[in-house]
Structures are given as C-alpha cells and as structure tokens.
C-alpha cells in the first residue's frame, strides 16, 4: 500500500524513514534536503554545524521515492504537485508545517549559511527583528561569539518570548542585556519597506537603529495555503492549522493524517514533539495496513513538556510548569551538539558522515 508524505521537515522526514520499512512511500517536498531545525541558528555562526545538520533526503530514504516539488492540492485519491504530477495514495500524511525559504538543494542551503556567516563577521552592527525564540537565540549566539559587535533586537510585543511565562522572559532579557544586546520592546520594523543595502532603520516609534546587516526572525506562516480548496478545507481552523483527532487523523477521515506544526494540538510547537507525532502515526499506519481495528489505534496525548530557549552554548532559560531556571545549570541538560547526533541516528544515519 502507498503512503504519501507531504512535507520534508522533522515530522515528515522521520515518518517517511520509518514507514519505508513496511510500505510504498512517496515523500513530496519542494527541497532535496532535511535540516535539523533547532540547529539553524548555531549553523549561522558556526559553519561546521551546518555540514552535520543539513542532510539530503535520499540519504535516509533508501526504499522510498522523493518528488522534489510543492504540493498544490489534495483530492480524495491523489496529491497534486506544482509540476503537474498526480500522486495516488492509500494513506496521506500532511506535514507541511511552516513556509520556509525557496532554496532547493543542500549546496544552496549551505551557501546561504556561508553568506550569512560572512555578513555577520564583516558587520560592526546587526539588527534582529523578532523577539521570539528564534530572535532571542540568534542574538545570544552572535553576542557570545562576537562580543565586540553591536546587536539590537527589535520586538513588537511588551516582552520577549511571549509563548512562555514573564519570569522566564525576564531572565532571557537580563541575560541579553548583560551581553550588551540592546532590546527595543513594543516597536516594529516595516520589513517590506527596506532593502538589503539599507543601513539606517526607523522603528514604528521613530527610533533610529543603525545596522550593517539585519535578520528577520518574525513568525513564519503555517504551510496550509495549498489545502484551502482541498478535501480537508473544512478542517482548517482560523489559524490555518488542521484539526486532528486523538489518532492524529484529520477530521476523522480514515486515511488522512497530519503531524507536526500544522496540527491544532494544544501544545508547544517543538521538534521533539513533531518526532513523537511521526512515530505514533507510523505505528498506526502499520496497524491499519495489517488489517487492525480502529479501536486499537495509538492515541496521542498532548505534551506538557518544558519550554527551553538556548542562550549561547552553555546557558539557557527553562520553564517547567510554573518553575523557571536560567543560566549554566539548565544549559547542561541541552547537549552542545543540539541533539544533531540523536536526530541523524533517528534517520538511521552515521552522524559523522558528510552528506554531499
């Protein structure tokens, strides 16, 4: 039986790798590679990380088929791709998460890391727009590796890291401040009105920010626009996420599943949870293909896992329920390789190999 996986992020890649052992798998993704998402920021300032965290899909998808194209529609029988392919399925799993850059090959992705790294090294001042986990972690990485550079973080909200509690956010703010990062809260930058050559930027309150280079770390849209006229259009919530049941089926449809950030599951959107989604759906698909009864399907329980934000290589701020820790001690529980070894092993690969 054929399983079509749409989306080659952490959830889709882990699922495709697992299911290829017992099904005819087709992975549809606009890019030829998978990258460990939580290693992106470290890869920007430490290029050796990129070599280990960007992996061609074909390295782990030995028994499946890769279609390098974007999905544009879903019918009750087929996935339609941008290049005109109609891919029939017995089961389909939607894992398109968030929209990302348009880079197609691993070489192009590594080149982009090199370009960003060079711009950071050559710049005297850097502006980061967005005070969520991506913006905070990038500011921390740059401030730690390049303490002589002027780093300004501009955030539209009243505090950083609005997805976690104010105490944890305050600790992250103080850490950045202690590393001479200037944080401008309740201010925004009109990214549509600036060009790559600009060196002067006005915030929404009129404050002038001087920067040789800037990074946009604002939230990316949910990757569900291709589903708005599909068979699952009635199961998209107001945020564009797919409504799934406890078996991670979309709207209870018997052969349509969704995993990762595109789901409406009430939990923090984290890579480790996307992996859990993938493994649970793989288990359910195996059961269904063997004629198992629906009542025996594995049920997903939303996680109450901790929230964690890295502050450079050694420090972190961590929130467990109502308890917050920061500094070196919570940083000890996050390996220096950012779980890249564990993730590549999950894909059945040798973490020391360079995937060309």
């Amino acid at each position: 039986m054929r399983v079509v996986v749409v989306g080659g992020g952490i959830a889709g890649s882990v699922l495709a790798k697992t299911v290829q052992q017992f099904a005819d798998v087709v992975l549809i993704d606009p890019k030829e590679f998978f990258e460990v998402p939580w290693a992106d920021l470290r890869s920007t300032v430490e290029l050796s990380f990129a070599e280990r965290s960007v992996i061609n899909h074909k390295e782990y998808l030995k028994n499946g088929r890769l279609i390098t194209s974007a999905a544009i529609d879903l019918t009750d029988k087929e996935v339609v791709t941008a290049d005109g392919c109609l891919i029939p399925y017995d089961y389909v799993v939607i894992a398109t998460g968030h929209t990302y850059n348009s880079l197609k090959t691993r070489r192009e992705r590594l080149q982009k890391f090199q370009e960003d790294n060079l711009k950071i090294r050559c710049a005297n001042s850097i502006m980061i727009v967005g005070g969520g986990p991506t913006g905070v972690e990038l500011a921390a990485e740059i401030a730690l590796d390049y303490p002589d550079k002027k780093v300004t973080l501009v955030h539209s909200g009243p505090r950083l890291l609005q997805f976690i509690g104010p105490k944890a956010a305050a600790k992250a703010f103080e850490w950045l401040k202690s590393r001479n990062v200037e944080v401008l809260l309740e201010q925004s930058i009109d990214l549509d009105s600036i060009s790559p050559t600009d060196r002067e930027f006005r915030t929404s309150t009129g404050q002038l920010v001087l920067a040789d280079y800037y990074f946009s770390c604002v939230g990316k849209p949910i990757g569900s626009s291709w589903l708005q006229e599909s068979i699952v259009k009635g199961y998209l919530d107001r945020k564009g996420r797919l409504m799934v049941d406890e078996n991670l089926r979309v709207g209870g449809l018997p052969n349509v599943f969704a995993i990762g950030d595109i789901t409406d599951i009430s939990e923090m959107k984290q890579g480790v949870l996307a992996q859990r989604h993938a493994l649970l759906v793989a288990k359910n698909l195996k059961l269904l293909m063997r004629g198992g009864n629906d009542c025996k399907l594995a049920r997903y329980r939303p996680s109450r896992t901790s929230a964690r934000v890295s502050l450079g290589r050694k420090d972190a701020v961590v929130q467990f329920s109502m308890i917050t820790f920061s500094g070196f001690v919570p940083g000890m529980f996050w390996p220096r390789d950012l779980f890249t070894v564990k993730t590549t092993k999950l894909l059945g690969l040798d973490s020391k190999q360079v995937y060309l």
Side-chain angles (χ1 to χ4, degrees):
M1 301 186 79
R2 171 171 288 179
V3 176
V4 175
V5 182
V6 186
I10 182 66
S13 295
V14 170
L15 178 70
K17 185 271 174 186
T18 306
V19 174
Q20 70 177 340
Q21 301 171 21
F22 56 84
D24 173 20
V25 174
V26 178
L27 174 63
I28 301 174
D29 193 46
K31 58 190 187 330
E32 298 175 357
F33 60 90
F34 157 79
E35 59 184 308
V36 181
W38 50 85
D40 281 2
L41 303 179
R42 181 69 54 80
S43 297
T44 302
V45 297
E46 187 178 332
L47 292 177
S48 62
F49 245 80
E51 292 286 348
R52 301 195 297 273
S53 63
V54 182
I55 303 164
N56 280 326
H57 288 309
K58 290 184 177 180
E59 291 296 332
Y60 65 85
L61 196 64
K62 299 296 186 181
N63 299 318
R65 177 185 174 195
L66 172 65
I67 296 178
T68 309
S69 181
I72 60 171
D73 196 11
L74 176 67
T75 73
D76 59 351
K77 296 180 180 179
E78 300 165 322
V79 179
V80 184
T81 68
D83 56 7
C85 291
L86 303 178
I87 313 300
Y89 65 84
D90 295 297
Y91 295 93
V92 63
V93 184
I94 302 167
T96 44
H98 294 269
T99 58
Y100 286 97
N101 57 62
S102 59
L103 301 176
K104 183 176 181 179
T105 69
R106 180 178 186 269
R107 185 179 298 276
E108 291 172 345
R109 186 66 181 108
L110 294 179
Q111 181 63 37
K112 183 62 167 64
F113 279 129
Q114 292 169 359
E115 292 172 358
D116 286 343
N117 180 265
L118 179 62
K119 290 173 180 177
I120 290 173
R121 287 188 285 114
C122 293
N124 291 317
S125 54
I126 297 167
M127 178 178 69
I128 297 170
V129 182
T134 302
V136 169
E137 290 187 349
L138 180 58
E141 292 280 354
I142 296 174
L144 195 66
D145 277 26
Y146 303 97
D148 294 333
K149 298 185 185 298
K150 171 63 176 176
V151 179
T152 303
L153 176 60
V154 182
H155 182 54
S156 59
R159 64 178 176 86
L160 300 175
L161 305 174
Q162 291 176 264
F163 74 104
I164 58 178
K167 186 175 180 180
K171 289 181 180 294
F173 179 90
E174 291 301 323
W175 190 97
L176 291 174
K177 188 176 178 181
S178 71
R179 267 68 176 183
N180 298 317
V181 175
E182 183 179 12
V183 180
L184 305 180
L185 297 175
E186 298 186 270
Q187 300 186 54
S188 60
I189 297 288
D190 184 3
L191 296 173
D192 294 330
S193 67
I194 60 180
S195 71
T197 59
D198 287 344
R199 298 293 181 268
E200 297 184 358
F201 308 89
R202 289 282 179 185
T203 72
S204 54
T205 64
Q207 185 166 344
L208 179 65
V209 178
L210 302 177
D212 297 324
Y213 187 59
Y214 76 91
F215 287 94
S216 173
C217 295
V218 296
K220 297 178 175 65
I222 297 294
S224 61
S225 60
W226 67 285
L227 296 169
Q228 291 178 357
E229 299 300 325
S230 73
I231 61 165
V232 297
K233 63 182 180 181
Y235 304 113
L236 291 169
D237 68 12
R238 290 181 297 176
K239 296 181 179 180
R241 291 193 166 98
L242 283 168
M243 294 179 278
V244 295
D245 63 15
E246 58 188 1
N247 308 128
L248 300 188
R249 283 169 160 167
V250 176
L253 295 174
N255 63 337
V256 182
F257 293 81
I259 55 177
D261 287 0
I262 199 169
T263 66
D264 71 333
I265 299 172
S266 181
E267 63 185 6
M268 292 184 184
K269 303 303 180 182
Q270 298 179 332
V272 65
L273 300 182
Q275 293 176 15
R276 285 182 54 198
H277 297 180
L279 295 175
L280 182 138
V281 168
K283 181 178 180 179
N284 284 341
L285 288 171
K286 190 173 185 178
L287 176 71
L288 291 169
M289 289 181 187
R290 291 180 173 179
N293 195 295
D294 281 16
C295 67
K296 295 183 178 180
L297 291 174
R299 300 177 181 180
Y300 185 78
R301 295 182 179 180
S303 174
R304 298 293 181 262
T305 189
S306 63
R308 185 190 186 285
V309 177
S310 296
L311 299 173
R313 287 168 179 75
K314 295 182 179 180
D315 294 345
V317 57
V318 178
Q319 178 177 294
F320 295 96
S321 184
M322 301 302 292
I323 303 174
T324 301
F325 302 93
S326 66
F328 175 74
V329 173
M332 293 173 60
F333 295 95
W334 189 258
R336 296 193 66 176
D337 75 335
L338 301 180
F339 290 114
T340 55
V341 171
K342 182 177 181 180
T343 304
T344 52
K345 285 184 177 180
L346 189 60
L347 293 173
L349 301 174
D350 180 356
S351 61
K352 296 181 180 179
Q353 184 178 352
V354 177
Y355 307 102
L356 301 176

